[in-house]
Amino acid sequence: MPLMVSTDLESFSLAEPPPGFVDDPYPVYARLRDQRPVHALGSDGWLLTRHADVLAAYRHPAMSSDKQAEFAPRLGVGTPVYEHHTTSLVFSDPPRHTRVRRLLMGALNQRAIARMEAPLQAQVAALLEALADQPAPDLIEHFAAQIPVEVIGNLLAVPPAERGPLREWSLAILSALEPRPADAVLARASAAVQEFCACLRTLVAERRRRPGDPEADVLTRLLQGDAEGELTEAELLHNCIFLLNAGHETTTNLIGNGVHALLTHRAQWERLRAEPGLIGSAIEELLRFESPLQLNNRRALEPVTFGGVALPAGSFVTLGIAAANRDPAVFADPDRLDIGREPNRHLAFGQGAHACSGMNVARLEGRLAIGALVARWPRLALAGTPERDRRVRFRGFRRLPVRVR
Ligand code: HEM
């Protein structure tokens, strides 16, 4: 592709990526992996693109997730969006991280996940029937985005009537994490944090008055704390917001990207249709092939070495999940979609101490949504030009027009 050949690899930046990158970042990632696997991003630090280096960074004890230093100049200390992101467990180190994660993992137990399955199946079936009545069905708006909001809404028991703004809040808050967010984006993100907190305060007060079953009710569990103590009010609110955000945008994109990939690789769609038992490995492959979260970040607390390059203490390091997931050193023929691929050591859910706490929730949603879609509408096809989300961190579609027959 000529665009990619003319790309100056040395000056490649995620903040101002070259034309065409958002549509198809993989050729650039392949060249970086090959020629500049530890790539200097100027004042933005370093980008790792090889699977081995990304994995090593996830597991390195000196690689911090605390983002206060990084977010202070970008988000503004004291703004609601700064407070939110720096209080959530994903951007914290021990001891806060350990405490919040333990509580959350206890709440996202097998029993809580098993309870999601029946209502989720019913919701998916209803959405699939309703697709046929849509004059212009959009797989994102009318299907993919509906599912996670209900799952997380159920998990935290947000009353159905109050779920309307969750998606917009989530999108606004996460957009502040792009490499160079505009002032208007930051203002919208802070407003969304405040509105979200107000909604949660009411829920929390209600749950304090009438606690649920802590074995199955996530909010009750988070409220009760454990032997090590309780979460502060700010920790509770911001981690609930984080749970909604973490589980929402990413899973919408797993479903949207997954369906798009299958429709544009029709033989794989037909294969799944013929062998529905492949749904488990299909979801893993779709997570690898079009990872919903393409980048993670860390900061080196000590001097570290990745791929033979020594980085000084304080270095910001971007972990290229999407690039690692196409690394030929780990995945044979990595640009080929193969829904039966095994083993599949993808890094779509991260690794190490911060590995995704909701991965089994996401897998369940992906399996039920895509499995049922292929079975119900086997002739599903794209109907018009999909509209891609233009962000580099979250990969997905804003609109995915389809026809069901
Ligand atoms: C396809 C969907 C999903 C993808 C691709 C995804 C991806 C990730 C990744 C890569 C991380 C690691 C972040 C880091 O190391 O800095 C992460 C963390 C996390 N995810 Fe997910 N996620 C998904 C769905 C979910 C769902 C459904 C939930 C909740 C129900 C969830 C909750 C979390 C939480 C709480 C963390 C933070 C864990 C920690 O810091 O210890 N995620 N996710």
Side-chain angles (χ1 to χ4, degrees):
M1 197 193 274
L3 265 179
M4 296 305 155
V5 174
S6 64
T7 300
D8 182 359
L9 212 55
E10 245 175 73
S11 62
F12 171 78
S13 128
L14 286 165
E16 287 169 46
F21 181 79
V22 171
D23 294 306
D24 184 7
Y26 304 109
V28 176
Y29 283 146
R31 290 181 60 209
L32 285 168
R33 217 171 34 228
D34 213 36
Q35 299 168 37
R36 299 178 60 83
V38 184
H39 171 70
L41 290 168
S43 60
D44 291 334
W46 303 84
L47 171 64
L48 307 180
T49 45
R50 286 190 180 160
H51 190 281
D53 295 334
V54 172
L55 193 56
Y58 273 126
R59 292 178 172 167
H60 200 299
M63 297 305 281
S64 165
S65 285
D66 187 302
K67 301 284 188 289
Q68 292 181 50
E70 190 181 340
F71 288 172
R74 200 192 296 170
L75 305 183
V77 179
T79 59
V81 68
Y82 174 83
E83 192 193 346
H84 164 67
H85 284 305
T86 54
T87 310
S88 78
L89 82 161
V90 77
F91 297 143
S92 304
D93 287 340
R96 172 185 280 157
H97 173 254
T98 324
R99 201 160 43 88
V100 179
R101 183 171 170 103
R102 196 179 46 238
L103 274 177
L104 204 59
M105 292 304 282
L108 285 172
N109 56 33
Q110 277 314 109
R111 218 178 121 194
I113 294 176
R115 272 167 47 120
M116 293 172 193
E117 190 156 343
L120 185 55
Q121 262 167 343
Q123 188 208 2
V124 165
L127 288 170
L128 288 176
E129 292 316 310
L131 270 187
D133 301 327
Q134 292 291 346
D138 170 7
L139 199 95
I140 303 301
E141 186 189 342
H142 301 127
F143 188 63
Q146 304 289 331
I147 295 167
V149 123
E150 289 305 306
V151 166
I152 311 280
N154 286 344
L155 204 65
L156 293 175
V158 178
E162 290 172 30
R163 293 179 190 179
L166 293 182
R167 178 163 158 74
E168 281 312 309
W169 286 340
S170 176
L171 289 173
I173 293 168
L174 292 176
S175 293
L177 299 179
E178 282 297 287
R180 296 264 192 281
D183 286 349
V185 170
L186 293 180
R188 181 70 204 107
S190 274
V193 168
Q194 285 172 311
E195 289 162 32
F196 215 147
C197 278
C199 160
L200 283 169
R201 273 193 201 95
T202 316
L203 275 182
V204 166
E206 169 66 16
R207 198 58 103 269
R208 281 196 205 279
R209 266 197 306 277
R210 278 193 280 153
D213 168 9
E215 275 307 306
D217 181 65
V218 172
L219 194 52
T220 301
R221 184 107 171 193
L222 293 179
L223 271 171
Q224 287 184 346
D226 60 15
E228 312 281 317
E230 292 178 12
L231 300 181
T232 64
E233 178 82 357
E235 284 171 342
L236 179 68
L237 296 179
H238 290 302
N239 283 289
C240 283
I241 294 182
F242 174 69
L243 200 58
L244 276 151
N245 290 343
H248 175 248
E249 176 77 345
T250 47
T251 315
T252 299
N253 290 342
L254 160 61
I255 299 168
N257 292 347
V259 172
H260 182 262
L262 289 170
L263 291 177
T264 49
H265 298 77
R266 194 80 203 189
Q268 296 296 308
W269 172 280
E270 296 302 338
R271 191 176 165 202
L272 185 55
R273 198 185 142 194
E275 294 178 70
L278 283 179
I279 189 67
S281 59
I283 294 302
E284 299 309 309
E285 176 67 345
L286 296 169
L287 282 161
R288 179 192 76 82
F289 193 72
E290 286 283 25
S291 304
L293 191 56
Q294 301 250 304
L295 306 166
N296 268 166
N297 298 85
R298 296 291 188 268
R299 191 167 60 94
L301 297 177
E302 297 167 6
V304 288
T305 300
F306 293 113
V309 179
L311 310 181
S315 297
F316 291 117
V317 180
T318 298
L319 282 57
I321 298 174
N325 282 345
R326 300 277 187 123
D327 188 340
V330 176
F331 305 100
D333 202 356
D335 294 324
R336 187 165 60 89
L337 181 71
D338 170 7
I339 62 165
R341 187 183 288 272
E342 276 194 28
N344 194 336
R345 297 194 297 119
H346 69 75
L347 298 174
F349 291 123
Q351 268 278 332
H354 286 270
C356 179
S357 319
M359 62 174 86
N360 290 330
V361 179
R363 286 178 165 131
L364 176 72
E365 291 178 62
R367 282 200 305 269
L368 293 186
I370 296 181
L373 177 70
V374 173
R376 178 64 185 90
W377 299 118
R379 297 195 185 286
L380 191 89
L382 293 175
T385 313
E387 188 187 316
R388 192 170 270 296
D389 184 330
R390 309 305 299 171
R391 294 175 298 172
V392 298
R393 179 174 302 277
F394 294 96
R395 183 159 180 82
F397 293 95
R398 289 298 171 102
R399 288 183 66 251
L400 196 54
V402 291
R403 57 185 157 71
V404 295
R405 293 194 174 90

